[in-house]
Amino acid sequence: MRNFGELRRVVVKVGTNVLTRNDRIDREYIEELARQIAWLRSTGREVCLVSSGAIGLGARELGITGRVQDVVLRQACAAVGQPLLMQVYREIFSRQSVPIAQVLLTREVLNDRTSYVQMRNAVERLLELGVLPVFNENDSVAVAEISRAFGDNDQLSALIASKVDAELLVLLSDVPGYYSADPRTSPGAELISLVEAVTPAMIAVAGKAGSSLGTGGMATKLRAVQIAAEGGCRVVLAHGREERVLPRILQGEEVGTVFGARRRLKNRSRWLLHSAPRGKIIVDSGAMRAIRNHNSLLPSGIVAVEGSFEAGSVVMVNEGVKIVSSFSSSELEALAGRHSSEAGQILATGRSRRIIARPEDMVFFEEDQDLSGSTSPEEAG
């Protein structure tokens, strides 16, 4: 499980509580982080960095203390802090001859198939050019609407690891790993070196976020592990200030907790799995059985359509399936309950009558699974 010798691509996420000391960006720590990442790159591995810290740095620059809760104020702090953070990274990484690039994301970028593919292609080219992509959520716009925000950079880092086909995600946190109980309240809590799979029960008992600057907690880290695992990516959770933490992890030392991966889903299925649905199609039990048996969804089985969406959007079907719909919500409303032979007359077009165009445009779940993407789906096709 700790044999990382063959890894080609690694995503490193560093949290706010690791990057800062006394509510200030710790330049000395970033110097050490840069040396470790430069070492990783010298071994022939490609590295992506996911960095928190922009809101905290902006708050400090503006003289604001404590947790920033107001949405608009968070936007302002992010807008001030992001260029300051990148200025620090550029200055320090240049001393290691590591060029960097800023990549700011919102959920909309990853939800839309076209923008997601463009982002992925841009990152691939940056890595080919020997550039270190530094990712962060575009908080100055993303926090305006909950649907556009990732919520924490643990989840963002896992989505990035999945999207760029990384084999390992390293979460550098202010905790040494995953414990049998909360070590802050249970003196007998033991560090667990290996976790094969995260369970809903583990997330249910995980602690809450508590720092003034960061947003993550153990529960968010465990959800991130589940997302990465669905992409066939292992995860190591370790304390970011452990001496030479990245080289030691990659050399197989028992540092932190390593979480196992599931079988790797196809890239399109992973994109579909983690995309926010734009609407919902309600179907009858017969149509649901047909979908479960990998058969087509027919108009006659549609009971209702919720939300407004265009053709090609990701939508839910009942509570158990995500699909890419070949039709818009208005077209589906016109087709609902009708025989498929009537589709041509209703739509007045020569388009295909298949609501799900191809098997890989469908991912479905077991009845007790969380459709947010935190549990392992079954891949169609």
Side-chain angles (χ1 to χ4, degrees):
M1 181 65 76
R2 287 187 180 268
N3 179 13
F4 300 126
E6 299 301 318
L7 292 181
R8 180 182 65 91
R9 185 169 292 176
V10 181
V11 173
V12 177
K13 182 264 178 179
V14 58
T16 300
N17 293 336
V18 179
L19 283 172
T20 58
R21 188 182 291 275
N22 298 324
D23 291 345
R24 294 177 180 268
I25 287 290
D26 189 344
R27 296 174 67 94
E28 184 177 344
Y29 173 77
I30 296 178
E31 293 269 10
E32 175 58 25
L33 178 67
R35 284 191 288 269
Q36 293 185 39
I37 288 178
W39 176 86
L40 277 179
R41 286 161 52 97
S42 73
T43 65
R45 297 180 174 97
E46 297 173 331
V47 184
C48 297
L49 176 62
V50 181
S51 173
S52 301
I55 292 177
L57 187 58
R60 177 76 189 185
E61 183 74 7
L62 295 171
I64 298 169
T65 59
R67 181 182 287 275
V68 182
Q69 299 280 16
D70 178 74
V71 168
V72 178
L73 184 57
R74 286 176 64 84
Q75 289 177 308
C77 289
V80 171
Q82 190 62 42
L84 296 175
L85 181 64
M86 293 306 298
Q87 181 181 356
V88 172
Y89 275 133
R90 183 177 183 277
E91 175 189 337
I92 292 177
F93 274 90
S94 66
R95 297 173 193 157
Q96 301 297 326
S97 300
V98 176
I100 68 168
Q102 176 179 253
V103 183
L104 294 176
L105 296 176
T106 64
R107 272 200 176 274
E108 288 181 336
V109 172
L110 300 185
N111 288 343
D112 180 80
R113 180 68 184 176
T114 300
S115 61
Y116 155 65
V117 171
Q118 291 173 341
M119 181 279 294
R120 179 184 169 89
N121 291 340
V123 171
E124 291 289 343
R125 182 55 57 88
L126 287 171
L127 293 171
E128 290 173 6
L129 294 171
V131 177
L132 172 70
V134 180
F135 293 86
N136 199 353
E137 182 169 6
N138 194 359
D139 292 295
S140 59
V141 297
V143 295
E145 300 175 28
I146 294 174
S147 63
R148 300 176 67 183
F150 294 101
D152 64 86
N153 274 352
D154 293 318
Q155 184 177 2
L156 172 61
S157 67
L159 288 168
I160 291 169
S162 175
K163 304 302 186 186
V164 303
D165 293 327
E167 295 107 326
L168 178 66
L169 168 62
V170 181
L171 299 176
L172 296 181
S173 180
D174 58 350
V175 295
Y178 178 73
Y179 283 83
S180 57
D182 188 342
R184 297 172 297 182
T185 57
S186 302
E190 296 182 356
L191 178 66
I192 299 175
S193 176
L194 171 64
V195 177
E196 293 286 354
V198 172
T199 66
M202 291 169 62
I203 295 177
V205 300
K208 298 180 180 179
S211 81
S212 63
L213 295 180
T215 58
M218 186 55 67
T220 72
K221 291 171 176 56
L222 294 180
R223 292 189 187 99
V225 168
Q226 290 182 313
I227 293 170
E230 288 155 354
C233 179
R234 286 179 288 174
V235 179
V236 174
L237 171 62
H239 201 298
R241 292 183 178 265
E242 282 267 359
E243 184 179 0
R244 297 182 63 252
V245 61
L246 292 178
R248 290 168 61 199
I249 288 171
L250 271 293
Q251 289 167 350
E253 288 191 34
E254 287 206 7
V255 179
T257 301
V258 59
F259 296 85
R262 303 188 182 101
R263 66 183 181 91
R264 183 185 291 270
L265 296 176
K266 295 177 182 177
N267 186 277
R268 185 174 179 85
S269 294
R270 278 180 275 144
W271 164 75
L272 174 57
L273 171 65
H274 299 299
S275 294
R278 299 295 180 93
K280 188 174 185 179
I281 304 172
I282 309 299
V283 302
D284 60 29
S285 58
M288 198 65 187
R289 282 195 301 272
I291 294 173
R292 288 280 182 184
N293 291 327
H294 302 274
N295 293 322
S296 296
L297 171 59
L298 301 177
S300 59
I302 298 176
V303 176
V305 179
E306 298 178 359
S308 176
F309 51 87
E310 300 298 321
S313 297
V314 175
V315 299
M316 293 294 301
V317 177
N318 289 6
E319 301 300 330
V321 185
K322 270 185 183 178
I323 71 167
V324 178
S325 174
S326 297
F327 297 102
S328 68
S329 54
S330 58
E331 290 172 329
L332 290 173
E333 287 171 349
L335 290 170
R338 311 294 285 270
H339 193 276
S340 57
S341 62
E342 301 177 81
Q345 296 176 338
I346 295 172
L347 299 174
T349 178
R351 289 163 53 193
S352 169
R353 300 172 186 176
R354 295 174 62 89
I355 296 172
I356 306 172
R358 47 187 175 174
E360 58 266 33
D361 283 345
M362 174 171 63
V363 177
F364 50 95
F365 304 76
E366 297 305 321
E367 291 300 325
D368 59 348
Q369 289 177 331
D370 179 0
L371 294 179
S372 66
S374 62
T375 48
S376 179
E378 181 180 353
E379 181 179 3

